[in-house]
Amino acid sequence: MIKMIKSKLLPVLAAGAVLAVISGLTGCGSAPKAESDTPEAPSVTKKEVKEEPQDPPNVKFVKQLKALLAKNDTKGAIEHFEKIPADLKDDIELKNLLGALYYSDAQYDNAILTAEEILAIEPENMDALELISMCNKAKGDKKAYKESTDKILAVDPYNAAVNIQKAEDYVLNKKYKLARDSYKKALRGDSENTDALFGYAQMCYYTDDVKTASETFQKLLDKDPENAAALAYMGKIAYDDDNYLRASKLVQQALKQDPYNYDYWMDYGTYLRYQGKFDDAAKAWIKATQLDPSYFLAYAYLAGNYDDLEQWDAALENYHKVIETNPKYFYAYESTAILEYRARNYENAIKYFTKTYEFSPSYSYSLMIAACYYKLNKPLEAKKILTAQLKKLDPNSTEYALVRFFNDSYNRNAESNLVQKVLKEGNSNNRGKMLFYMGLYYELNKADELAKEYYAKVTNLKAPMFFEYRIAEWGLMQ
């Protein structure tokens, strides 16, 4: 109960406490009507003044407190407790309410003191124990937090609130199996607790127990068919089972309940894309960018989508947005550099290949930067890059021979030796990269037929896993 005090349950707790106190008070706000065997008194004359019955102090206090709570005046309600009548000072319900108000107002030490007063009267009062636990957590006092949760679990090992707290801590540390077990304990204490049900289902999903996850999410939906989060996860489960149509329908239902959820729009776009509805997928991801223009992920999905559709300008625009919103996203620099190179924006390509090199100092990026300088007719700048790279390579390696081939004046023997080394390269991806750079060398030196011959060797490889493959494809189209 204490866990949610700061938001939804404070009014509920407050109302419960006030009603409990009011129901125990005589008169409930008005003096009782005395019964009498005597005849009714004669009606008052015009000069007589009828006096309204006065509430006793305890009823007056509670009524005023109720009014302050109705206005969500937390500070006013706390101050009002200074006027509490003597016969209400030890009322447990009101003390719990005061503690909850202190917690809501971030007065954690006062909340703890109030809870301790309750425990002096009722040592196992669960609301007070939970309040202390939550205050210690909010204060960041890990030792006190553990001690307070241990006290609760000693009394009630399946306490839902505490086990949910423990599960949430495990989730933050990505200990999903432990979190799942804690949610399961919470459900033993309160089988209808929706937070525990959702958390348990989610952790089952994270730990690949899809069957249990699906069954538990369905329990939530049986209770609440419009539970957006449960609908969204059922969509994920359908997607994992390659049922993209069902997945999209489920997340559409989730979006009806929560149309401003960024993640749901991201998932919706993904499910549409796997149905071949690329334009609709883009619309979903564009909606996500509108909801949160500062987050990079939707831009990355859009860039990849447009890239696959060969809508180069749109892809490049979104790669730029990825870099703007997440400057540490390595892959965006590489993809941006490649598309800038394709567009013959060589200055920009140099900028982004250089940034990519900062993340991953590969000789490939040095060669691409040098190629851009050569295309800009800046051979001295190219040689600076190549010379610096040579110092970082093993002189006996094929990579060294390849970079040196770009850097030095043409030598037929060097060319022949390099070709033999490249062809002997055992790793197909490494060999493919090197064949590409042989083609690029010939392109830079206007030997177009030889360039295309090598580019064709690259594109004939199966399942290439290097970025140069795309540039080789474009080179064949020139």
Side-chain angles (χ1 to χ4, degrees), residues 172-189:
L172 288 175
N173 291 292
K174 298 184 178 180
K175 297 178 179 179
Y176 300 131
K177 289 184 178 180
L178 292 174
R180 177 198 62 196
D181 294 343
S182 288
Y183 280 125
K184 192 172 184 178
K185 285 183 179 179
L187 287 172
R188 286 190 65 177

Side-chain angles (χ1 to χ4, degrees), residues 3 36 41 52 55 59 61 67 81 94-95 105 113 116 128 180 213 272 290 297 336 414 431-432 458 476:
K3 179 191 171 190
S36 173
E52 292 291 331
D55 288 331
V59 174
F61 171 83
F81 269 89
L94 286 175
K95 280 186 177 291
D105 200 44
L113 287 172
E116 288 174 345
R180 177 198 62 196
L272 290 169
Q290 293 168 348
L297 192 59
T336 304
R431 185 171 65 255
V458 175
L476 285 173

Side-chain angles (χ1 to χ4, degrees), residues 220-228 231 253 257:
L220 274 171
L221 292 172
D222 290 341
K223 293 163 63 72
D224 177 13
E226 297 180 350
N227 187 304
L231 287 165
Q253 292 178 54
Q257 309 308 319

